[in-house]
Every structure is written in structure tokens, then in C-alpha cells.
Amino acid sequence: MTVLLIRNARIARPDGSNFDGDLLARDGRIERIGAGIDAHADETIDARGQLLLPGVIDPQVHFREPGKEYKEDLGTGSRAAVKGGVTSFLEMPNTDPPTVSQAALDDKLVRAAGKCVANYGFFIGATTDNLEELNRAQPVCGIKIFMGASTGSLLVDRPEDLERIFADGTRLIAVHAEDEARIRERRARFQDRTDPAAHSEIRDNLCALKATELALRLSKKYHRRLHILHLSTKEEVELLRRDKPAWVTAEAIPNHLFLNVDDYAGQGTLVQMNPPIRTKEDNAALWAGLRDGTIDFIATDHAPHTLEEKRRPYPQSPAGMPGVETSLPLMLTAMAEGRCTLEEIQKWMCWGPAAAYGIPNKGKILEGWDADLTLVDMQTRRAVRNEELFTKVKWSPFAGRELTGWPIYTIVGGRVAYDRGRIREDVRGKALRFVIGDR
Ligand code: DOR
């Protein structure tokens, strides 16, 4: 039995209001919230001056295990997660081997149980011939389809293969929406360009829009639960604002909210990712899409590659950036600047992803709900420093940025997993359950 008492915190309510009070967690659940709670506890935290939030759910990360553990593994990825206030993550199937079968999924679950300090769930990856596994594998948060090729070998780009997957089954389908044919044609056309900014021209806005249009068409035809990963363009926001059935959700990632093509000048291939960073106008459209509900929530697409790999000349450089431990401070800084509210932070980063993937009992600070929490310091401004990061690759495209809202403690299942710069190594996360994702 573990009892944790957090005293004198500014506690966030789901509606964005807050109050000064105490929270008692017993055996992984929030037992009581109130003022002046007096109970025996195994551990008491004095949280005066700190903001208590529900633990963040990051619904898109790449933790590279098995196969590319030199970049990240489930242990280091989960430690970076809790440092960033993330208590649950959904991990992508483009590992090596890819997660395309029950056996590969079971392997990840066993590895995660042994080393993750945050709660974990996994996608199963679509190939052109694993339809039965896609619909049967358990437990999964959804099916991931790479409609355009990115890191790893997964790709389903022929419309007839996509149609078969959408037609058969009811599970959530999450798409990396970029049109492979257009990428190939433009890559050939731009083959003389070796400047990293070419990446955003090759994989242009129309690449993303075309694939999102196709996924939306198939989702409507078969009434199939669809999630569009890392929406990046103004055109996609406009499309979904006009035409977004109730069974479709979409996400944005901090890279597409806080970076744009101007960053190639200073950071070059470090900011190369798929789908690419776009213009300031796209940044603004994504913020507007979040605010009006066209975009449902935020993920990070944490996609670590070593600095050595990233510094290769374009186009030999790999696409992707780490992000799991900077997303909450970035968003809380935006909140401090008046760009969003405490209610939106919780909707976009806590209960929104939980609702979309059917993760019960997480994402709100309520009695009876899971005690996954993060206590953040909203007073201090601190720069992102590469050497302080927990991700194995030890770099961030946000290095040097001054941010407000760094986690001080992160609590997973009622136990402190991250404690002022250190990991409590005896804590383990649990496999997440998906109530609607597995219909
Ligand atoms: O830039 C990216 N990197 N986009 C993806 O879709 C995959 C990711 C990775 O795994 O490196």
C-alpha cells in the first residue's frame, strides 16, 4: 500500500479553475482532494507555490526499442517522459523489427514492463498483408498507417491496400498522412538541392493535404474511426474545419506550433522532420485549429536520432526530433504568455488524448481517478539545456529557449517517479487499457 499526500498545491480543476488545497493518493488512485487533509502518508510533499496538473498523456512517441536502442530505449524514453510531466505514452511501431504482429507487440510489452517508469501503450503497424493481425492484436491503442514513407520500413501507399484496411474492422486508424507518389516525384525534381530547407518544399503542403483528403474519404465511406497524426498545414486545418465527422480526431505537435521554415537557417537538418516544419502562417492556422476544436489534442512525435546522424548533409540526414520532455514547458510558457488557458492545456495534453484513445480514468484530477500527476513550477524561467535532458540523444531543437513550467515532481500510479531532477528507479508504469480503441 502506498499513500502519498500532496499539501498546499494549486490544484487544477478540469474546467481550468484552480484552488489551493491537498490531495491524498492511495494505491494509485486519488482518494481525496480538499483543504487541510490530515492523514497518515508514506510520503508527504509540500507543494506550496506549485501547480498540480493531471499527468500528461503523450499519444505519439518513437522510443526505438527494439532495434535502435543507441538512439533511445523504452527505459530512457520513459525517464525523459516523466521529466517532462508525461505519465503515459503511446509508442509507434516503426521499430526494428516493426510492431506488426502479436509476437512483436508482446515483446514490447514485456520490455516495457521491465523498465518503463511511465504507463505505456503501443500501436500496431499496418503492412500490405497483416490485416488479420491488425484487427486481432491486443492490447493496442490503434493501427498506425504510414501513407508516406518516413523513418523505418513501414508504408501502405496504394489506395486499394488502404481501402482494404479501412473497410475491414472497427479499430482506430491513425495515419501519417503524406502522399508517397507526390513525395517521390518531387524528390526527383529537387534532387540537386542539398540545403535542408528543400525538405519542406519536397514534402510540401499538398503532399499532406492529398493524403489527409484520402484518409478522410475512406473514413467517411466506411464510417471508420480515424485519427490524423501531426497535422501540419493550414490547408488541412481548413479542410477539417469544413468537414470533420464526429468519429475523426486530429493532433498537432509542438514542432509545428513553435518552429517554422525560418529555423532551417539556424538549425539546418536538426529541424528536419516528416511532415516537415512549415511557415508562420501554418503555425498560426494550427493554433487557431486547436482553439476552435478542429484539432483535438497535442502529441510530441518524439523521434530521437543522434546529433551525429542529424548533422549528416541533407538528404542523408534522418527526419525527426526529440520532444517528449519539452512539450509541457513549451505549452505552459504559451499559457503564461496568454496564448492558451489552463483548461486548454488539460484538454489538449491530458483528458483529450485519453478520451480519443479510450484510456479510462486518466487526464483529470478527480477523486477516484488515477493518481498520475505532475507538479510544475510556474515561477522560474529556465532555458532548455541539452546536457540536462534525459533523452539518450541529449539534444533539443528548443535548446536555449527560456521556458516557464518545468515539472518538479511527476507521480505515476500514486508514486513519485520524478523527484527534482532525479528518477526514483523503483517505480514502474503499467500497460494502458483502451476501452474504445479495441472495439
Ligand atoms: O520525422 C519523423 N520521424 N517523422 C516520422 O513520421 C517518423 C519519425 C521517426 O521515427 O524518426
Side-chain angles (χ1 to χ4, degrees):
M1 193 162 87
T2 317
V3 183
L4 174 70
L5 180 59
I6 300 172
R7 309 193 77 122
N8 306 313
R10 221 179 92 206
I11 301 177
R13 290 197 184 96
D15 68 2
S17 62
N18 64 79
F19 65 101
D20 291 332
D22 306 339
L23 180 148
L24 186 73
R26 186 185 303 273
D27 293 337
R29 291 283 167 103
I30 300 169
E31 186 176 88
R32 272 170 66 202
I33 307 166
I37 296 177
D38 188 16
H40 167 78
D42 302 302
E43 179 165 3
T44 302
I45 294 173
D46 183 5
R48 201 173 295 274
Q50 292 164 11
L51 173 65
L52 186 63
L53 293 169
V56 170
I57 299 177
D58 187 339
Q60 194 194 165
V61 300
H62 303 265
F63 283 169
R64 309 298 191 208
E65 180 175 357
K68 295 280 187 287
E69 288 91 339
Y70 69 94
K71 299 180 200 253
E72 197 78 283
D73 62 51
L74 287 161
T76 56
S78 73
R79 282 159 180 74
V82 295
K83 178 160 184 284
V86 173
T87 51
S88 298
F89 63 83
L90 304 180
E91 207 264 348
M92 283 294 164
N94 58 334
T95 42
D96 184 13
T99 318
V100 295
S101 65
Q102 182 71 53
L105 176 66
D106 287 343
D107 175 52
K108 268 195 180 171
L109 286 161
V110 169
R111 290 166 183 264
K115 57 175 79 163
C116 281
V117 295
N119 304 309
Y120 46 87
F122 298 104
F123 284 88
I124 184 150
T127 70
T128 51
D129 63 1
N130 71 339
L131 190 53
E132 216 170 294
E133 298 264 13
L134 290 184
N135 287 328
R136 240 199 340 226
Q138 293 275 11
V140 300
C141 50
I143 295 167
K144 165 75 181 276
I145 305 182
F146 281 92
M147 297 173 74
S150 192
T151 303
S153 57
L154 292 173
L155 176 67
V156 181
D157 61 336
R158 288 197 323 215
E160 58 273 30
D161 291 327
L162 290 165
E163 181 127 14
R164 268 192 308 114
I165 298 169
F166 273 82
D168 189 339
T170 54
R171 272 187 177 167
L172 179 149
I173 294 176
V175 290
H176 177 123
E178 286 188 282
D179 185 83
E180 181 65 16
R182 184 173 170 86
I183 296 170
R184 285 189 190 166
E185 178 251 304
R186 291 178 70 77
R187 193 181 286 134
R189 178 132 52 104
F190 285 72
Q191 62 183 338
D192 295 337
R193 292 274 298 274
T194 53
D195 59 308
H199 195 66
S200 293
E201 293 180 59
I202 295 169
R203 304 175 82 117
D204 67 353
N205 286 29
L206 195 52
C207 282
L209 180 65
K210 281 182 80 165
T212 292
E213 277 172 350
L214 173 57
L216 188 62
R217 195 155 64 238
L218 291 172
S219 162
K220 282 162 65 175
K221 182 167 174 188
Y222 296 104
H223 208 98
R224 183 72 187 256
R225 173 81 179 90
L226 170 68
H227 176 65
I228 301 160
L229 299 158
H230 42 44
L231 208 72
S232 61
T233 69
K234 176 173 172 248
E235 291 81 357
E236 290 167 287
V237 175
E238 283 166 359
L239 167 69
L240 292 179
R241 187 173 285 131
R242 283 195 309 272
D243 183 12
K244 183 168 170 250
W247 60 90
V248 175
T249 51
E251 78 190 20
I253 69 171
N255 300 347
H256 293 132
L257 295 169
F258 295 100
L259 301 172
N260 56 60
V261 288
D262 295 347
D263 289 292
Y264 283 121
Q267 302 213 62
T269 47
L270 290 189
V271 291
Q272 176 192 341
M273 71 164 296
N274 302 327
I277 53 170
R278 310 287 187 189
T279 64
K280 285 204 171 94
E281 220 186 327
D282 295 293
N283 294 149
L286 294 172
W287 275 103
L290 275 165
R291 290 192 191 106
D292 71 15
T294 305
I295 300 173
D296 298 271
F297 54 81
I298 287 174
T300 66
D301 192 13
H302 177 82
H305 300 281
T306 65
L307 266 179
E308 192 196 338
E309 292 169 322
K310 289 293 287 182
R311 285 187 177 140
R312 287 180 196 148
Y314 185 80
Q316 282 94 49
S317 44
M321 307 173 223
V324 73
E325 63 199 287
T326 46
S327 62
L328 183 61
L330 280 165
M331 292 305 296
L332 289 174
T333 305
M335 181 180 89
E337 291 164 355
R339 301 179 75 187
C340 59
T341 66
L342 184 56
E343 184 182 19
E344 287 169 332
I345 294 275
Q346 295 179 83
K347 174 177 178 227
W348 298 341
M349 306 189 81
C350 308
W351 65 260
Y357 284 99
I359 304 169
N361 247 24
K362 292 195 190 292
K364 293 182 182 178
I365 301 181
L366 292 174
E367 288 178 359
W369 284 46
D370 291 352
D372 293 339
L373 304 159
T374 188
L375 257 177
V376 300
D377 170 10
M378 290 302 294
Q379 259 90 59
T380 330
R381 256 181 116 75
R382 272 176 69 77
V384 177
R385 295 197 187 98
N386 285 345
E387 62 275 18
E388 290 176 3
L389 296 173
F390 281 18
T391 172
K392 228 180 236 188
V393 298
K394 292 271 179 202
W395 69 273
S396 163
F398 302 107
R401 276 204 203 204
E402 297 272 334
L403 302 179
T404 301
W406 289 97
I408 307 293
Y409 291 93
T410 299
I411 291 123
V412 176
R415 300 179 66 202
V416 176
Y418 174 75
D419 174 355
R420 295 163 294 179
R422 281 178 302 278
I423 297 292
R424 300 258 188 104
E425 288 294 341
D426 56 328
V427 174
R428 287 293 172 271
K430 289 193 177 140
L432 294 166
R433 289 188 302 124
F434 307 102
V435 176
I436 53 169
D438 271 0
R439 272 180 313 179

